[in-house]
Amino acid sequence: MVSRVTALTRRHTPLSTGLITAVGIVLTLACSSGESLEPVVDLEPISPAEIISRSSDALSGITTFRFALSHDNGTTILSNGIEVPEASGTAMVPDSYTLDADMLVSGFFVNTRVTVIDQDSYMTHPITQRWQLLEPGTSPFGTFNPVSLVASILEQIENPQIAPPQASKAGSYVVDGNLPAIALKSLTGGVDETAPRLDVRVTIDGSSLYPVEARITGRATTAESGDLVRTVRLFEFNSDISIEPPI
């Protein structure tokens, strides 16, 4: 019995070894083909101030983008007292945008949609959800402009410096700095100009130099919390976006 087992083992050892090797190669190739190999962007070693300047220039060449606003430790509070926990929308440079916003009005949560085309503002009624053309100066988002907001953040950032290594993102520049509250005026409508400087962390795509995220900590109005964190994300730049009157 021992000799027979030994013979079988010797007989099949080369075949087994070949099979194991072949299976290993197949598995390796399969695993490799299943990975999403994204090109690695070789970041140019430029100063934080130059990164911000180039990103601002890149932003000026954008025609459309999508955006989203979210919060930690509070909400954005507009000058009219309306709180905005979350919002998202589309933008066409320079003065047209759509907005889908959750709002807290007098203690009640409502959802509203807004379309702004140059000087015309449309908004859905919070109860009927029917579109209506607003009289000039009556929109609760009268000063909101996502294009101006992002441009203002880049233009007014102070003391820019490369973020710590733990905040780095592959293929992106991450820059820390400070902002005066006035930089958020196109978001809140009014600001407390005596408020302490806000901390900002801007993430900029290393290839296009488009700003893809701004994380802002601090209050811009007297009603907001000092530890409020606003995150503005931008994506789908220069995509096929069309903004038309809803009625």
Side-chain angles (χ1 to χ4, degrees):
M1 177 66 70
V2 174
S3 59
R4 182 176 299 177
V5 172
T6 302
L8 288 172
T9 302
R10 289 175 179 171
R11 184 181 305 163
H12 291 281
T13 295
L15 178 59
S16 300
T17 303
L19 286 174
I20 291 172
T21 302
V23 170
I25 292 173
V26 171
L27 289 176
T28 300
L29 292 174
C31 291
S32 299
S33 63
E35 295 176 355
S36 56
L37 299 177
E38 297 181 357
V40 177
V41 177
D42 189 12
L43 297 179
E44 183 181 355
I46 54 179
S47 70
E50 182 66 16
I51 294 170
I52 296 298
S53 176
R54 292 190 188 184
S55 183
S56 183
D57 290 342
L59 180 67
S60 66
I62 291 173
T63 57
T64 63
F65 61 86
R66 297 184 186 275
F67 64 89
L69 171 68
S70 59
H71 301 82
D72 293 308
N73 306 323
T75 63
T76 284
I77 301 179
L78 308 183
S79 57
N80 53 21
I82 294 176
E83 298 185 40
V84 183
E86 291 186 351
S88 61
T90 61
M92 291 181 63
V93 178
D95 296 317
S96 298
Y97 67 87
T98 65
L99 181 69
D100 188 327
D102 292 329
M103 303 189 304
L104 184 60
V105 183
S106 300
F108 294 94
F109 277 101
V110 297
N111 175 267
T112 191
R113 289 172 291 159
V114 175
T115 296
V116 173
I117 303 174
D118 298 324
Q119 300 300 316
D120 293 332
S121 296
Y122 304 84
M123 180 173 157
T124 55
H125 190 281
I127 297 177
T128 66
Q129 291 296 301
R130 292 180 178 176
W131 284 101
Q132 51 191 340
L133 176 62
L134 302 179
E135 293 292 329
T138 62
S139 171
F141 300 95
T143 63
F144 178 69
N145 186 315
V147 179
S148 298
L149 172 63
V150 180
S152 183
I153 291 172
L154 292 176
E155 291 169 1
Q156 299 191 54
I157 189 170
E158 302 170 352
N159 307 314
Q161 55 189 318
I162 298 299
Q166 59 268 28
S168 64
K169 297 182 179 180
S172 298
Y173 295 105
V174 183
V175 178
D176 286 347
N178 306 112
L179 281 178
I182 195 70
L184 301 185
K185 187 174 182 179
S186 61
L187 172 62
T188 59
V191 298
D192 176 12
E193 296 190 27
T194 66
R197 288 295 194 261
L198 297 88
D199 295 326
V200 61
R201 172 167 290 169
V202 181
T203 302
I204 296 169
D205 180 77
S207 178
S208 66
L209 292 175
Y210 294 156
V212 296
E213 183 178 281
R215 186 175 174 85
I216 308 160
T217 303
R219 67 177 184 85
T221 68
T222 56
E224 293 177 339
S225 167
D227 61 352
L228 171 64
V229 180
R230 273 174 270 251
T231 301
V232 181
R233 293 189 304 107
L234 307 182
F235 49 99
E236 294 186 21
F237 298 95
N238 299 323
S239 57
D240 187 14
I241 292 173
S242 177
I243 298 177
E244 304 291 341
I247 54 175

